[in-house]
Amino acid sequence: MARSQNPMTGQMTGSMANFVTSTRNGQNEIRSKAFNPKDPNTPAQQLQRACFKLITDEHQSFGGATDEGFPEADSGQSSYNLFVAANLPAAIDKSGAEPVIDYSKLLVANGSLPKVVIQDATIVAGGISISYQTNVKVPKVNASDEVVVVAKTQIGELLLEKQLRGDLKTGTILLDYPGIKAADVMCCYLFVRNADGSKTSRSTFVELV
């Protein structure tokens, strides 16, 4: 409610209808309120916020494992910033009533090294076995690179395994989890880091057989 000492000349403060009154330097000021609120909370904005929350929650669910996947940041950028930029909105499926994560498009690593070529990924007695081409003759690829596998189960368990790329034609890495079934796995990814961890490849979504 507006208040005035005198209807014509007194000090005025407060708001009324579509204007706001105040006094500065002994002068009454009247300002019009914005016709459009800054935060109208439209359906499009609600969807954007829901998508952002999905990606933020996904980053937290990996418990820091994705920090190693985004080392190639410019000054002032964090691995979190890069994770969000890489996955919003590309890794979100908006075709249903509510947006959901499309794990086949989610990136847990993104960098300048060549992607790993997966030959085979199967559930074995000891866990998840993934065979990959070492491709050591490809530029920027070294036998000393570290192969990283990260997976998440349906109940939120985080599985992580690392080993050197090696110099044989193919390599195999085992994600240790005896008795696991394909239905237990929410998502699984493979990427590589160079020896000092300053560069990574783009992660590859692992389809389990």
Side-chain angles (χ1 to χ4, degrees), residues 72-142:
E72 299 178 49
D74 295 331
S75 177
Q77 288 184 305
S78 66
S79 59
Y80 165 75
N81 296 146
L82 296 179
F83 179 90
V84 172
N87 291 300
L88 184 68
I92 297 180
D93 180 0
K94 303 176 185 177
S95 61
E98 299 291 338
V100 295
I101 296 292
D102 183 344
Y103 286 103
S104 69
K105 296 179 181 178
L106 189 76
L107 294 178
V108 300
N110 196 22
S112 59
L113 295 182
K115 283 184 66 174
V116 185
V117 178
I118 296 176
Q119 289 189 323
D120 187 52
T122 57
I123 300 292
V124 297
I128 301 173
S129 178
I130 303 172
S131 298
Y132 57 90
Q133 296 179 14
T134 56
N135 292 333
V136 289
K137 294 183 179 181
V138 173
K140 297 185 179 181
V141 171
N142 293 284

Side-chain angles (χ1 to χ4, degrees), residues 57-201:
D57 290 347
E58 200 62 38
H59 179 267
Q60 293 176 349
S61 76
F62 279 98
T66 58
D67 291 346
E68 296 183 348
F70 295 88
E72 299 178 49
D74 295 331
S75 177
Q77 288 184 305
S78 66
S79 59
Y80 165 75
N81 296 146
L82 296 179
F83 179 90
V84 172
N87 291 300
L88 184 68
I92 297 180
D93 180 0
K94 303 176 185 177
S95 61
E98 299 291 338
V100 295
I101 296 292
D102 183 344
Y103 286 103
S104 69
K105 296 179 181 178
L106 189 76
L107 294 178
V108 300
N110 196 22
S112 59
L113 295 182
K115 283 184 66 174
V116 185
V117 178
I118 296 176
Q119 289 189 323
D120 187 52
T122 57
I123 300 292
V124 297
I128 301 173
S129 178
I130 303 172
S131 298
Y132 57 90
Q133 296 179 14
T134 56
N135 292 333
V136 289
K137 294 183 179 181
V138 173
K140 297 185 179 181
V141 171
N142 293 284
S144 61
D145 292 341
E146 187 176 57
V147 177
V148 182
V149 179
V150 58
K152 192 166 60 170
T153 70
Q154 297 288 354
I155 62 173
E157 297 170 298
L158 193 64
L159 313 178
L160 183 67
E161 192 66 49
K162 303 176 183 179
Q163 73 177 33
L164 294 181
R165 184 195 293 266
D167 56 5
L168 300 177
K169 185 176 181 179
T170 61
T172 300
I173 185 168
L174 177 67
L175 198 55
D176 185 34
Y177 197 128
I180 196 170
K181 300 178 178 61
D184 299 330
V185 182
M186 179 177 290
C187 56
C188 183
Y189 305 92
L190 186 146
F191 64 95
V192 295
R193 306 167 69 224
N194 64 354
D196 64 6
S198 63
K199 296 184 181 299
T200 65
S201 70

